[in-house]
Amino acid sequence: MNNTITCIPGLLVGHYTDRDARTGCTVILTPQGATAAVDVRGAAPGTRETDLLRPENLVSQVHGILLAGGSAFGLAAADGVMLWLHERGYGFDAGVARVPIVPAAILFDLDVGRPDIWPDPEAGYRACGAASSDPVPQGGVGAGTGATVAKLRGPANARPGGLGSITLELPGGGLVAALVVVNALGEIFDPATGRTVVAAGDGPAPPHWPLPGQNTTLGVIATDLALTKVQ
């Protein structure tokens, strides 16, 4: 049974995972277009083309969304997603060409694996090639490969984070799904029981730790309900 975000008709998800460098990217493809909006928060967000999705702006549909590690370097992986879509004729009709709309967001994982390797256009292209409507592989894959959590005692005491997805059926009909990459500073708790699922390590925290802006949560929420950009 598929209870991940690909349960929503028309959505395809693919990962590119580099386990040696401990980084990767994840693409959510909507080749035929899907209405989209955005909410960007945080002290140091790294995004691309998210301004397009504000309610007052022209473009209302996207053809793909990229989530990536690699900090700001990882935004380049969206070029590969655009190329994959362009080769297949998908995109916003700009009159003289179809331009794929691919918003992107990144997390910082350069301190986990290799700081000189990050998702590039080839990584984005390969993630598209792996995309399908099958249940989404979860855990330390794609954009979640280098994600860590429970960094309250410093990066050296961090625990692996990752990527997860789920779909819920609404009481009145319709589906709401989420795909989330968690690279959080804090510990992970079970909201139903309050039990700590992933706790911070036991080692001492570095001086002047934690630093501001150490939380990154990237999420895509999808539904099969017909909504406007503002809704």
Side-chain angles (χ1 to χ4, degrees):
M1 177 181 177
N2 184 4
N3 69 339
T4 65
I5 198 170
T6 48
C7 187
I8 305 294
L11 295 189
L12 309 173
V13 173
H15 299 309
Y16 169 82
T17 302
D18 185 335
R19 299 199 183 280
D20 293 332
R22 291 195 64 185
T23 191
C25 63
T26 297
V27 64
I28 300 94
L29 293 177
T30 60
Q32 303 299 333
T35 301
V38 69
D39 179 28
V40 178
R41 308 183 189 186
T47 59
R48 166 174 162 163
E49 289 203 286
T50 52
D51 282 348
L52 284 171
L53 305 183
R54 299 190 185 282
E56 68 271 17
N57 290 339
L58 171 66
V59 174
S60 62
Q61 293 203 323
V62 301
H63 305 96
I65 294 174
L66 174 83
L67 307 179
S71 190
F73 296 112
L75 293 172
D79 289 342
V81 181
M82 289 189 68
L83 177 60
W84 190 93
L85 290 163
H86 169 71
E87 290 176 346
R88 289 154 181 81
Y90 299 116
F92 175 78
D93 187 354
V96 296
R98 287 192 172 274
V99 181
I101 306 300
V102 184
I106 50 85
L107 58 84
F108 186 89
D109 59 5
L110 299 178
D111 57 346
V112 176
R114 290 186 53 172
D116 59 340
I117 295 179
W118 49 79
D120 58 10
E122 181 182 357
Y125 193 95
R126 290 175 63 179
C128 291
S132 77
S133 60
D134 294 339
V136 178
Q138 302 177 64
V141 295
T145 305
T148 55
V149 297
K151 297 185 276 273
L152 293 168
R153 296 184 181 274
N157 297 298
R159 299 291 185 261
L163 177 149
S165 183
I166 194 168
T167 298
L168 301 176
E169 187 171 351
L170 299 175
L175 301 172
V176 173
L179 183 150
V180 179
V181 184
V182 182
N183 189 54
L185 174 68
E187 300 174 318
I188 306 300
F189 296 89
D190 182 336
T193 66
R195 184 175 64 88
T196 303
V197 178
V198 182
D202 297 327
H208 312 298
W209 185 267
L211 301 174
Q214 295 296 303
N215 284 291
T216 308
T217 299
L218 307 177
V220 175
I221 311 299
T223 181
D224 60 355
L225 301 175
L227 300 177
T228 67
K229 202 173 180 182
V230 173
Q231 289 170 331

